[in-house]
Amino acid sequence: MISEFADLHIHTKYSDGTDTVEELLKQVLTTDIRTISITDHDTAGAIPEAQKLGKSLGIEVIAGIELSTLYKKKDVHLLGYFFDPHDKKLLAYCDKFREVRETRAAKMVHRLNTFGIDITMADVEAIADGAVIGRPHIAQAIVEGRFARNFQEVFDKYIANDGPAYVDKFNIEPGDAIKLIHDAGGIVSLAHPLTVGDDGVVAFLHNLGLDGLEVYHPQLVMAGCVKHYHILASRYGLLVSGGSDWHGRRKPHIKLGQAKVHLSHVEQMREVAKKQRK
Ligand code: AMP
Ligand code: ZN
Ligand code: FE
Ligand code: FE
């Protein structure tokens, strides 16, 4: 039986997931889910390929992306859905952020070197293998170089947001991120709102045109916060999205479809995107 639910938060090798598009879609076929969105960080590179292969396998792949912004110095991740993956402005943004992330990774590697962690940018690039570089790639280089036992140790000791080797990157403003996705024909949902830890962000983003809230995410399910965010979504008239935030082997405790959203919510998202495009 095909599930009535969708997983709308998935990363691939195009950013910091470990699956190729083909590997991911084969994994999806082992579950009962047949509607997904790929939401790589700062790139929609996987979408055309995934939509084409998905069609032949009976999986709907909704265009997705995850953009990092800041609110009161805290990471705010915005998920874009149903946009045109070939939109020129969006592609220009992605190109720029690929560079921004490379420069920032090089700075972090340099700082790590001063702490005696002898990794090189070439190590990180080899692990990223063409992907948009993120901290998880750096963490893997450190673990593989045996300078730390595991990912969490790397983050806790060095590269968490308040860590000594952390380097800020230039981030897009929340309002600009929302406009970028809207202009590309899509809608925007606030990812894992518990990470921000300040519900004031919902009102703030709502004023800037936010369309939805990621009510279903492993973090919210585990913390027992799903109901709280459902209520918040209705209060602001926001759409409801959800997904597992699958990163493949890089987050082995997560399962595909571990957090999912009912297809009725997906249809509402699709409708709002369609209306906004008119
Ligand atoms: P970046 O986009 O390069 O800033 O990397 C962000 C990613 O790093 C997040 O999506 C998480 O997967 C991971 N991350 C950030 N902070 C932490 C942390 N404190 N502990 C573990 N993983 C983290
Ligand atoms: Zn990620
Ligand atoms: Fe995120
Ligand atoms: Fe994510």
Side-chain angles (χ1 to χ4, degrees):
M1 265 276 278
I2 288 173
S3 162
E4 291 171 10
F5 292 84
D7 187 335
L8 301 184
H9 193 153
I10 293 174
H11 297 268
T12 72
K13 268 191 85 161
Y14 278 83
S15 66
D16 57 358
T18 54
D19 296 333
T20 63
V21 164
E22 195 182 339
E23 284 165 349
L24 169 70
L25 294 184
K26 283 198 174 142
Q27 286 264 1
V28 171
L29 287 180
T30 68
T31 74
D32 57 359
I33 284 179
R34 292 294 179 271
T35 304
I36 64 162
S37 179
I38 295 175
T39 52
D40 278 309
H41 301 279
D42 293 334
T43 177
I47 307 302
E49 179 192 346
Q51 287 183 330
K52 192 167 163 221
L53 186 58
K55 209 169 197 178
S56 70
L57 296 173
I59 301 168
E60 183 189 6
V61 180
I62 295 162
I65 194 166
E66 185 169 16
L67 305 178
S68 308
T69 69
L70 288 175
Y71 171 75
K72 295 188 177 171
K73 294 195 177 159
K74 291 200 192 104
D75 275 322
V76 170
H77 291 179
L78 295 175
L79 296 161
Y81 293 113
F82 290 109
F83 53 84
D84 169 13
H86 302 290
D87 180 80
K88 286 217 168 66
K89 242 176 31 176
L90 187 67
L91 291 179
Y93 164 88
C94 294
D95 282 348
K96 180 176 164 198
F97 270 75
R98 173 179 285 276
E99 270 182 52
V100 166
R101 282 176 164 281
E102 251 174 57
T103 313
R104 172 222 198 194
K107 284 186 191 159
M108 290 212 266
V109 166
H110 183 73
R111 283 207 190 169
L112 286 159
N113 292 159
T114 67
F115 292 105
I117 294 171
D118 197 12
I119 59 161
T120 65
M121 200 44 199
D123 298 334
V124 177
E125 272 165 358
I127 286 163
D129 191 21
V132 172
I133 297 178
R135 279 180 279 171
H137 299 116
I138 300 177
Q140 190 176 331
I142 295 172
V143 173
E144 283 181 8
R146 296 180 184 271
F147 297 103
R149 279 181 300 252
N150 56 50
F151 262 54
Q152 206 49 50
E153 187 182 325
V154 175
F155 276 94
D156 292 346
K157 273 191 175 163
Y158 306 107
I159 59 171
N161 285 29
D162 54 359
Y166 175 74
V167 174
D168 253 341
K169 67 179 187 316
F170 167 76
N171 283 299
I172 185 169
E173 290 294 324
D176 292 341
I178 292 172
K179 187 169 185 319
L180 185 69
I181 301 296
H182 281 168
D183 287 353
I187 55 152
V188 183
S189 183
L190 170 61
H192 41 71
L194 199 58
T195 306
V196 192
D198 176 355
D199 286 351
V201 72
V202 178
F204 172 76
L205 294 172
H206 179 249
N207 279 329
L208 296 175
L210 182 76
D211 304 288
L213 201 56
E214 191 177 49
V215 170
Y216 299 96
H217 183 279
Q219 190 191 34
L220 272 60
V221 174
M222 282 187 277
C225 290
V226 168
K227 197 170 170 200
H228 171 79
Y229 285 104
H230 243 302
I231 292 168
L232 212 57
S234 345
R235 186 180 305 156
Y236 289 97
L238 293 168
L239 294 160
V240 169
S241 78
S244 63
D245 213 349
W246 167 261
H247 282 71
R249 292 183 302 283
R250 233 171 237 127
K251 290 192 183 172
H253 52 289
I254 298 290
K255 286 194 178 69
L256 260 180
Q258 182 172 334
K260 53 194 177 183
V261 64
H262 197 266
L263 290 175
S264 60
H265 288 300
V266 180
E267 290 319 308
Q268 285 173 17
M269 291 166 70
R270 198 192 307 271
E271 278 307 305
V272 170
K274 209 189 262 175
K275 260 189 213 144
Q276 282 179 180
R277 277 197 290 269
K278 276 183 191 153

